[in-house]
Amino acid sequence: IQDSQTMSTNELAGVIVPTTTPFDTRGDINFSAIGEQIDWLVECGVHGIAVGGSTGEGHSLASDEYAQLIETAVSSTNGRFPVIAGIITDSTRESVRRGQLIKDMGVAALQVTPVHYLFKPDDDATVEHFRILTEETGMPVIIYNVVPWSYLNPDLLCRVMTEVPGVIGVKQSAGDVKLFADLMIKITPGQLVFSACDALLYPCYSLGAHGSIAAILTAAPKASVDLWDAVRQGDHEQALDLHQRLLVLWNAMLGDDLPAATKVAQAAQGIASGQPRMPMKPPSTQRQSDIRSALTGLGLTLVQ
């Protein structure tokens, strides 16, 4: 692992926002809008970004546009905070290929979903998948533990991190605080756990999470940073208040069209988040209204 990547990896903590990918009405990426989103996130005080993940509709990206997206994000960030590159594929070969495409672009780590299309690899195959990925890319990897039928339990996650030194951490999703708590007591020093339990960031932080990578951060980055700061400062009255108001937003956003709902929240704040990529469609008028109302409840001034 290159020294510059190692330095950035050591900075991975706190509110790491999964950026949206701005598509135009034809479904092409509007690369010129990416810098605007990143500048906004810098102003909100976030601690890093993850590009090309679920919120970024990374599952829909061709390899060439994926590489250009990562390159544009790193350039736009200009060293202001670390960039994590998401990889959502269904073979070791393609995961390696994507990692090799972007390994020299200056990203801090890869965020990688386990292979998940219908057939679940066994534990040994999962360990080998991540071993080959880290060895052939030379990149640190964060496991994105999110797919229900290919979900890695805490023991397997810890086994991968122990047996594959290049796997530095886990992005733990699914909203189960018991699983999150189990993982936190099983990890060893130096292993990172980021919460993707959007509705439960407050308890996850209290349990010792090293930070978060979750769509709610993308929709309300400033309030999310304030929540992280409140917990770290022991201000639990403020943290509970922010948790409750962010939960109203999350309940309005939650659905099978989460990337589209996240874009609605960004657009309401004047960010050119673009359209979701087909076949995903924008949320209903009612849900868009609910999202705007929840953002107002966070004290945000919205554009018309």
Side-chain angles (χ1 to χ4, degrees):
I1 299 171
Q2 299 175 7
D3 289 344
S4 61
Q5 291 170 339
T6 302
M7 184 180 301
S8 297
T9 301
N10 292 337
E11 298 171 358
L12 292 178
V15 175
I16 300 177
V17 174
T19 57
T20 55
T21 302
F23 298 110
D24 63 23
T25 54
R26 297 174 301 177
D28 296 327
I29 299 176
N30 178 11
F31 289 100
S32 63
I34 293 169
E36 174 192 331
Q37 182 177 175
I38 289 173
D39 288 344
W40 173 61
L41 294 173
V42 170
E43 292 172 5
C44 291
V46 310
H47 308 114
I49 58 173
V51 182
S54 299
T55 303
E57 298 169 82
H59 58 281
S60 74
L61 299 175
S63 58
D64 58 339
E65 59 185 0
Y66 167 77
Q68 187 176 352
L69 174 66
I70 301 300
E71 184 176 35
T72 303
V74 172
S75 175
S76 299
T77 300
N78 195 26
R80 289 177 288 182
F81 44 47
V83 177
I84 296 171
I87 293 180
I88 306 174
T89 67
D90 268 308
S91 72
T92 304
R93 177 188 176 94
E94 182 60 19
S95 295
V96 168
R97 181 170 176 265
R98 294 215 174 192
Q100 290 176 336
L101 277 175
I102 56 107
K103 69 175 184 177
D104 296 322
M105 292 182 183
V107 301
L110 305 177
Q111 173 190 282
V112 184
T113 54
V115 174
H116 54 275
Y117 172 71
L118 193 57
F119 310 110
K120 179 181 179 179
D122 65 21
D123 290 1
D124 290 343
T126 296
V127 173
E128 189 64 11
H129 169 74
F130 284 104
R131 186 192 311 281
I132 292 171
L133 178 60
T134 58
E135 289 178 353
E136 295 199 15
T137 64
M139 292 288 297
V141 167
I142 296 168
I143 300 171
Y144 182 11
N145 196 30
V146 63
V147 183
W149 53 90
S150 190
Y151 202 73
L152 280 56
N153 62 43
D155 287 334
L156 180 53
L157 290 168
C158 290
R159 178 186 167 191
V160 175
M161 287 189 284
T162 299
E163 295 185 15
V164 186
V167 177
I168 61 170
V170 178
K171 174 182 172 181
Q172 181 76 335
S173 189
D176 188 324
V177 174
K178 172 64 164 59
L179 283 174
F180 194 95
D182 286 341
L183 181 58
M184 292 305 303
I185 64 171
K186 289 176 181 290
I187 61 170
T188 60
Q191 295 174 343
L192 303 175
V193 179
F194 297 95
S195 175
C197 305
D198 299 69
L200 300 164
L201 295 181
Y202 174 29
C204 288
Y205 293 161
S206 299
L207 288 167
H210 300 95
S212 53
I213 309 173
I216 192 69
L217 315 176
T218 317
K222 179 61 169 64
S224 298
V225 171
D226 289 344
L227 173 60
W228 169 257
D229 289 343
V231 176
R232 288 177 63 83
Q233 293 163 9
D235 187 349
H236 290 280
E237 181 178 355
Q238 170 74 349
L240 180 59
D241 176 65
L242 286 164
H243 158 76
Q244 292 171 339
R245 289 189 284 153
L246 283 165
L247 182 57
V248 173
L249 175 59
W250 178 244
N251 289 340
M253 292 170 54
L254 186 60
D256 291 334
D257 57 355
L258 182 57
T262 306
K263 288 181 171 183
V264 167
Q266 289 185 315
Q269 297 169 76
I271 302 306
S273 52
Q275 301 295 314
R277 179 167 265 182
M278 288 291 292
M280 189 178 294
K281 295 182 178 180
S284 68
T285 301
Q286 181 59 58
R287 283 187 58 229
Q288 292 191 37
S289 176
D290 292 344
I291 290 168
R292 291 180 63 90
S293 176
L295 291 169
T296 302
L298 284 164
L300 297 170
T301 301
L302 308 183
V303 299
Q304 297 302 314

